[in-house]
Amino acid sequence: MSRLVKWFAELGRTDVGLVGGKNAGLGELTRNLARAGVRVPEGFALTAEAYRQFIQVNGLNEVIAEHIGRLHGGTDLPEVGHAIRDAILAAELPAAVTAAVEQAYGELADRLGTIDPDVAVRSSATAEDLPEASFAGQLESFLNVSGVAALLGACLRCYASLFTDRAISYREDSGFGHLDVALSVGVQRMVRSDLGAAGVMFSIDTETGFPRSVLIDASWGLGETVVGGRVDPDEYVVFKPLLGDPGLFPIVSKTRGRKERKVVYDSAGGTRQLDTTEDEAVRYALDEEEILLLARWATTVEGHYGTPMDMEWAKDGRTGEIFLVQARPETVQRRREASLLRTYRIRDAGEPMVEPLVKGLAIGDAIAAGPVCNLTSAAEIDRFVDGSVLVTKITDPDWEPIMKRAAAIVTDHGGRTSHAAIVSRELGVPAIIGTGDATALLGDGMTVTVSCAEGDEGFVYEGLRDYEDEEISLEDIPATRTRVMLNLANPAAAFRWWRLPADGVGLARMEFIVNNHVKIHPMALVHPGRVDEDARRRITELTRGYDDLTEYFVERLAHGIARIAASRWPDPVIVRMSDFKTNEYARLVGGRRFEPHEENPMLGWRGASRYYTEGYREGFALECRAIRRVRERIGLTNVIVMIPFCRTVEEADRVLRVMAEENLGRGRDGLEVYAMAEIPANIILAEEFADRFDGFSIGSNDLTQLTLGVDRDSAELAHLFDERNPALTRSIEHLISAAHAKRRKVGLCGQRPSDDPDFARFLVEAGIDSISVAPDSFFSVKENVAAAERGQERREPAPAVRGAQSWPPA
């Protein structure tokens, strides 16, 4: 029997030729990682030798060869595939194979202490998971199989699935011989995830290749809804470097999916699909302890294999136990050239904001455009025009011949680990998954632009948008003494830039996270009874699943900050506390009730002045709670807090006292607090502000506006708005000199150093500690700074900083 059946505990990763990639992986986990706490359901594999005996005894080699010859002679693929499958299903398993399966199934029943245990029966091809082969999703699995007769029938159907139309097509395209690939069948105890939850996880970020995260998708019921893209699952992101500390919860992102349906056991055998309850739809499928357990397993498995991994998991609803049910090497990101960064950017600068037609999860980071081809099934392949944007509800392996020919793919349903996401990633085709309504809104023939270059969220725009792409060699980026950092606002895009050799984040704008990820005015969450009926209705929709409305604000803001901080760990990430103007705050849900009307919001109730006053003090407390959660609970202590628009030293003292009252005092657990230097008072009183803050970041736009008295948005005054004006350059020089005298750092956030090499040279010569720029300007700023530093080295030592001894200037 040993040649025909192998228990998982007898197998390892080198046994792909014996039992296929899937079963070899299960054996590797069972044999080597059980001691590390990784649980794998018991089971056995019917070997490739059993398949070969079946083919030989029934004379199927000749039958298969004959029908493949017909395919090469012009017969339609569906006719050929149907004929081969019928021949396999009409054949009988050899007596020795039947006996081996019966004996192993009986032993599994004894081990589990039950009669006719429920099992999952999965196909595992012997060429599977080789670098040049990817059979993912092409072969069949059968769940909730009970009894010997049903098991033997499922084994036969697995054999037949080696000749589905899509599998034949794949081998034809890849050059694999149809008789060279054998099939093993895995028989594994069913985990009752129909009563619990299941999903997929990767030990790497699937879109950006960020290697220090674990991505987990989860939904209720059996995992085939997640893999098949039939459901929009929960998505969790965990930061691996902090998993070793048992006191931390390094979950940097939690997104609740719609989880509209689930697959459960059918009383007659097999499975059936149900709609989820409203309670299930709004609850996360995993709690934080379970998320962290899976993430630790992912790290363990990756460490054992020495490569990023793609895994499936299941949670038993009766026992609460979680199991890994599959693990294989990740096949996309590990093939990417690590030294090259290809960037895409919508180039409609200066044009009015264009609202997308639909949006969903972005797969890949590219942009594509073309006419829409809206299809309801893969049977409409003849209607598809090469280079079109494929729009459909979901995809499965039958769609792959169409997907290869698409410029982009847009689906109504699915998550990052669904079939559509996996295949589009492997094909290098940009895709937007889980839009909800693309098939209803995108009609045949419409010309659209599909953008996956704006972070985790993808957008479909009407018409042809102007865009560009650029390939950057990271090896060509020069090293500099002056720190060059990034300006980041969108947490969804943070991982995209992890390969850039930046020195941290010089400006993370909290208000972007509040506006895009929270959407509700914090005071409306503290006092929901004060808002109007429409706002209350919207708040109820957004906060579904949260008993404490303020927790909604804190959790979402904390996760947004944490994702940015994780992308640059352990380098510093400077998070500016909220700096909305009153008119901007009023646009948040429920905001109008809490914001006064101001004629000039730019110079009104903004920044530091809000944090200690009654009208916003409770909202600022929520901001402080979010920062504390990032630093203390998640563990990202590289976060530095920055206070914007602090007009007086007395105001600085009041803000710092409020922060201390919220257990976020300067110096607590190493917390540094910076100030934005954007008001002339910050420059004139630089020494006094330096006594209160650990550093400064020059906001060049506001400082120019307030120093020169020029509205930065005025077209008539644009010729006067110039950061190189002596009033500005002397202000910058004085601040740097005064701050350095107090051992405080000074940075500048702005676009000018990338556009103007002379301004970059001025900053270097003035002794600036850091320059922070948008990611797409990073390369040019590094070059400008490096050139300035080389020029500085060639010259004599610089004279004393201009203006430092004569402030204010005469």
Side-chain angles (χ1 to χ4, degrees), residues 599-768:
E599 292 299 331
N600 189 355
M602 183 66 71
L603 295 180
W605 191 40
R606 59 176 289 198
S609 63
R610 300 179 65 93
Y611 304 157
Y612 55 85
T613 52
E614 183 179 349
Y616 193 74
R617 170 69 176 80
E618 293 164 300
F620 184 64
L622 299 185
E623 296 182 23
C624 292
R625 276 174 55 188
I627 294 289
R628 281 184 54 205
R629 183 167 299 184
V630 173
R631 287 179 51 86
E632 298 173 13
R633 192 170 194 271
I634 297 176
L636 291 160
T637 53
N638 59 329
V639 166
I640 294 170
V641 168
M642 183 156 65
I643 304 301
F645 226 77
C646 189
R647 294 170 166 99
T648 68
V649 292
E650 293 78 15
E651 186 165 70
D653 291 335
R654 296 184 73 173
V655 170
L656 292 171
R657 279 198 300 271
V658 169
M659 291 177 64
E661 291 169 7
E662 297 299 329
N663 297 311
L664 197 68
R666 178 182 169 210
R668 177 188 168 105
D669 297 326
L671 174 66
E672 293 185 1
V673 182
Y674 283 24
M676 285 291 290
E678 53 194 334
I679 304 169
N682 304 143
I683 310 300
I684 297 168
L685 300 177
E687 290 85 353
E688 288 85 346
F689 279 103
D691 288 334
R692 290 158 172 81
F693 294 104
D694 298 290
F696 297 91
S697 180
I698 300 168
S700 59
N701 279 342
D702 272 357
L703 185 60
T704 303
Q705 177 173 242
L706 295 174
T707 300
L708 298 179
V710 173
D711 181 354
R712 65 186 185 185
D713 297 322
S714 170
E716 289 79 6
L717 299 178
H719 64 288
L720 295 175
F721 191 90
D722 186 1
E723 293 102 320
R724 296 171 303 178
N725 184 286
L728 271 298
T729 57
R730 291 184 192 180
S731 295
I732 292 170
E733 288 170 333
H734 173 72
L735 177 65
I736 292 171
S737 177
H740 285 179
K742 297 278 188 175
R743 299 184 181 277
R744 302 293 189 251
K745 296 174 182 175
V746 181
L748 180 138
C749 304
Q751 188 68 18
R752 192 58 180 260
S754 60
D755 300 332
D756 186 349
D758 289 339
F759 192 68
R761 183 170 62 250
F762 156 72
L763 293 173
V764 169
E765 291 177 353
I768 198 89

Side-chain angles (χ1 to χ4, degrees), residues 367-369 384 387-391 403 405-410 429-432 450:
I367 300 174
F384 189 78
S388 297
V389 174
L390 171 62
V391 176
M403 297 170 77
R405 297 157 48 196
I409 298 163
V410 183
V429 176
I432 298 178
V450 177

Side-chain angles (χ1 to χ4, degrees), residues 18 100 102 113 116 164 167 179 192 196 200 222 311 343 361 384 389 420 466 544 564 600 602 655 668 715 766 806 809:
L18 179 66
E102 289 177 347
D116 291 342
T164 59
L179 298 174
R192 289 302 303 268
V200 178
L222 302 176
M311 293 150 279
T343 65
L361 298 173
F384 189 78
V389 174
D466 187 19
R544 289 175 69 200
I564 294 173
N600 189 355
M602 183 66 71
V655 170
R668 177 188 168 105
S806 58

